[in-house]
Amino acid sequence: MGIRTRGPEDEGLHMAEDETNTPRFPHTPVMLERIVDLFTPALEGPGKVVVDATLGMGGHSEGLLERFPELTLIGLDRDTDALGIAGDRLARFGDRVRLVHTVYDGIVEAIEGEGFEQVDGVLFDLGVSSLQLDRAERGFAYSQDAPLDMRMDRTEGQTAADVLATYDEGELRRIFQRYGEEKLAGRYARAIVERRASAPFEMSGDLVQVLHDATPVAIQRQGHPAKRVFQALRIEVNAELSVLERAIPAALDSIAVGGRIVVESYQSLEDRIVKRALTARTKSSAPAGLPVELPEHRPTYELVVKGAELADEAERAANPRATPVRLRAAERIRK
């Protein structure tokens, strides 16, 4: 099993270890059993191919490979640390696994690069991964003081510290409002610009303190003041929403008739993009008032989950990261 890269390599390709150098995989994949069930009609039998577009530490991929013994899996991730860990976790499946270093809007090129024209399933598990949250040095978690990085691919691109240093007050307010849906966006943007005039932001603790000091006491009781700002910075640094807007249609175009797409979203901005893309493919494109629907106007997909499905109470209790998940799925019914 090799890793095909579409970006610069670095030393980050390694497995997760404890102090005794024993591999460990702490990640609990969200709604794994439900995802396996949804993919079963599409992935059973020989010659089937699935893309895990958000490989992470490989938990969902491992579940699919175990359940479908003839399945080939193409795993995509922009995070070289994740590719290293998943590669170790999935090594026992041999050449059934193909790992590609790419952002998931590169899904078409990744599929073609592995020698396939179409696939039978695509899985997206969106948002920040457990690996990124749990490693303090990545700077994703506002609860841990660390360098303000937040890049999912640490081989390229601007960091959160760069954003805080170079964006003007209006730009900061815009991303806090748009990507964090933060009501105090203007107040926070102004406080950040005032603070950076004396010293640049380098550590997450510095930003958390500024946000805390700028938050009225009554609002502090409603939740951590840094939560939405950190979300907004992460989305901006990684261009997550624009990438997703390209990736979902590309994935839908890549799935063969009878194949399925399953998407897990964790916040409303992601879920809206997914819902719009699926709606466009599951409704007739015939102009209003047309007396007869022509074949080319018929939907190419049908929903296999009505609306957005939630994790059940037992899974939310066992795995708190499943609490906000919204799952959507559809099957391709015609070319």
Side-chain angles (χ1 to χ4, degrees):
M1 179 185 65
I3 299 175
R4 180 190 296 273
T5 60
R6 290 184 59 243
E9 297 178 350
D10 72 0
E11 68 279 3
L13 298 176
H14 58 80
M15 60 185 171
E17 299 176 343
D18 59 20
E19 288 93 356
T20 62
N21 293 323
T22 302
R24 56 184 175 85
F25 307 111
H27 171 57
T28 301
V30 173
M31 296 183 75
L32 175 60
E33 293 304 318
R34 179 58 173 148
I35 286 170
V36 170
D37 288 344
L38 286 167
F39 274 125
T40 295
L43 300 184
E44 280 191 319
K48 301 295 186 177
V49 181
V50 69
V51 177
D52 185 343
T54 49
L55 181 67
M57 288 190 281
H60 287 109
S61 290
E62 182 179 48
L64 291 170
L65 289 161
E66 288 177 341
R67 174 61 180 81
F68 306 108
E70 299 177 278
L71 179 68
T72 296
L73 182 137
I74 303 172
L76 314 183
D77 211 294
R78 67 170 81 181
D79 190 329
T80 52
D81 287 352
L83 286 169
I85 293 169
D88 186 76
R89 183 176 196 160
L90 304 177
R92 61 191 172 97
F93 299 105
D95 61 7
R96 294 172 58 203
V97 177
R98 323 281 184 87
L99 302 186
V100 183
H101 179 211
T102 184
V103 185
Y104 48 68
D105 63 348
I107 185 170
V108 173
E109 293 85 353
I111 292 169
E112 292 175 348
E114 295 302 325
F116 301 100
E117 293 183 2
Q118 290 185 305
V119 296
D120 303 286
V122 178
L123 171 66
F124 288 88
D125 182 23
L126 300 172
V128 64
S129 74
S130 297
L131 169 66
Q132 292 155 349
L133 283 172
D134 292 341
R135 290 192 169 178
E137 71 272 14
R138 303 296 297 271
F140 286 94
Y142 54 80
S143 59
Q144 303 177 81
D145 193 24
L148 281 162
D149 193 322
M150 296 195 193
R151 291 173 299 169
M152 292 178 177
D153 182 351
R154 290 191 289 176
T155 67
E156 61 182 9
Q158 66 179 352
T159 66
D162 294 331
V163 171
L164 293 171
T166 61
Y167 283 31
D168 64 29
E169 183 177 328
E171 290 173 315
L172 291 172
R173 182 175 64 251
R174 175 187 61 81
I175 66 170
F176 297 161
Q177 287 174 334
R178 183 179 179 189
Y179 301 147
E181 300 179 297
E182 175 54 65
K183 295 179 181 178
L184 298 180
R187 180 190 289 257
Y188 289 155
R190 185 163 55 254
I192 288 167
V193 170
E194 290 174 356
R195 158 62 167 75
R196 78 185 185 193
S198 58
F201 287 94
E202 296 179 350
M203 304 295 290
S204 56
D206 297 332
L207 177 58
V208 169
Q209 187 62 55
V210 169
L211 297 174
H212 178 274
D213 293 345
T215 306
V217 174
I219 295 178
Q220 290 179 19
R221 301 191 187 101
Q222 299 174 12
H224 201 291
K227 180 178 180 179
R228 293 185 180 88
V229 170
F230 270 61
Q231 172 181 298
L233 286 170
R234 189 201 81 219
I235 291 172
E236 176 69 12
V237 166
N238 297 289
E240 290 178 45
L241 298 186
S242 59
V243 168
L244 184 61
E245 286 174 337
R246 295 189 295 271
I248 298 296
L252 292 168
D253 289 341
S254 301
I255 296 173
V257 174
R260 291 187 169 190
I261 184 170
V262 178
V263 186
E264 292 183 304
S265 305
Y266 295 84
Q267 43 104 340
S268 60
L269 298 173
E270 295 170 339
D271 187 52
R272 287 174 205 157
I273 292 171
V274 176
K275 181 180 178 180
R276 284 198 302 267
L278 293 184
T279 298
R281 303 298 181 99
T282 56
K283 289 189 174 182
S284 172
S285 60
L290 196 69
V292 178
E293 182 184 52
L294 300 175
E296 60 266 30
H297 293 307
R298 292 172 187 163
T300 53
Y301 277 80
E302 65 179 10
L303 298 177
V304 294
V305 170
K306 300 298 183 183
E309 190 170 301
L310 311 180
D312 62 31
E313 185 175 346
E315 179 163 2
R316 294 197 302 270
N319 182 12
R321 287 177 181 167
T323 300
V325 72
R326 300 291 185 272
L327 181 148
R328 297 182 185 273
E331 178 176 325
R332 187 160 198 168
I333 56 175
R334 73 172 183 89
K335 293 183 180 180

